[in-house]
């Protein structure tokens, strides 16, 4: 999206799209502009919560942060003083995916960026607090790979529940 952190597009037919502008006009002071991707939005109460990947410039690794807005198109504001998730010992963290279980529990999935440091990446998950803006409990490694055909990495996690089964 060029110089845009998180672009917003709208369509009534999924064929013709109209650009609405920038959903995240300003990054927090600790983040580097030009390296945001993998946005995911969840409505939590009366707010919309944006999880996104961004580069932390001191170590030049990717991390995950969170911003909020009153409308799904933004503008989103990230008031954090540091990343929400930053697994520096795993090469960083990318590709956030929020999930609400059948009981209303909030969770966030993401990919460790181990492949950025020559190791096998994994999918992780952790429960979120009720506002969706902070973590609860401890992270859990959910999925890795151990077959040659799966090389070089896994990424872009997603989770759904159907008839009591999580996929």
């Amino acid at each position: 999206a060029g110089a845009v952190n998180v672009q917003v597009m709208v369509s009534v037919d999924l064929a013709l799209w109209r650009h609405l502008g920038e959903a995240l006009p300003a990054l927090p002071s600790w983040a580097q502009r030009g390296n945001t991707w993998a946005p995911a939005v969840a409505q939590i109460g009366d707010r919309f919560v944006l999880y996104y990947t961004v580069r932390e410039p001191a170590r030049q690794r990717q991390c995950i942060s969170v911003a909020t807005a009153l409308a799904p198109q933004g503008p989103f504001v990230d008031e954090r003083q540091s990343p929400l998730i930053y697994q520096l010992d795993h090469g960083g963290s990318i590709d956030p995916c929020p999930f609400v279980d059948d009981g209303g529990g909030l969770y966030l999935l993401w990919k460790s960026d181990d492949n950025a440091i020559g190791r096998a990446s994994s999918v992780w998950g952790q429960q979120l607090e009720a506002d969706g803006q902070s973590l609860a409990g401890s992270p859990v490694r959910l999925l890795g790979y151990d077959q040659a055909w799966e090389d070089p990495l896994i990424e872009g996690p997603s989770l759904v529940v159907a008839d009591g089964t999580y996929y």
Side-chain angles (χ1 to χ4, degrees), residues 38-42 51-53 64 85 94-100 106-111 123-126 128 156-160:
V41 176
Y51 303 93
Y52 66 100
T53 301
I64 295 169
I85 299 170
I94 67 171
D95 297 346
C97 176
F99 173 74
V100 181
L106 298 171
Y107 297 86
L108 191 67
L109 302 165
W110 69 91
K111 175 214 166 209
V123 172
W124 293 74
Q126 188 166 352
L128 293 164
S158 184
L159 182 62
V160 296

Side-chain angles (χ1 to χ4, degrees), residues 48-146:
F48 292 86
V49 181
L50 168 73
Y51 303 93
Y52 66 100
T53 301
V54 64
R55 184 176 297 274
E56 189 279 318
R59 299 273 175 81
Q60 289 295 306
R61 295 285 178 209
Q62 297 299 114
C63 56
I64 295 169
S65 197
V66 61
T68 61
L70 296 175
Q73 69 273 17
F76 286 88
V77 176
D78 185 337
E79 297 177 339
R80 297 189 59 81
Q81 300 302 307
S82 61
L84 176 67
I85 299 170
Y86 191 20
Q87 295 171 295
L88 191 55
D89 57 333
H90 288 277
S93 309
I94 67 171
D95 297 346
C97 176
F99 173 74
V100 181
D101 71 14
D102 284 343
L106 298 171
Y107 297 86
L108 191 67
L109 302 165
W110 69 91
K111 175 214 166 209
S112 65
D113 211 18
D114 285 279
N115 56 286
I117 56 174
R119 298 190 320 215
S121 57
S122 301
V123 172
W124 293 74
Q126 188 166 352
Q127 189 166 13
L128 293 164
E129 294 291 348
D131 66 0
Q133 298 176 54
S134 55
L135 300 166
S138 299
V140 176
R141 183 179 179 269
L142 301 173
L143 180 67
Y145 66 88
D146 58 6

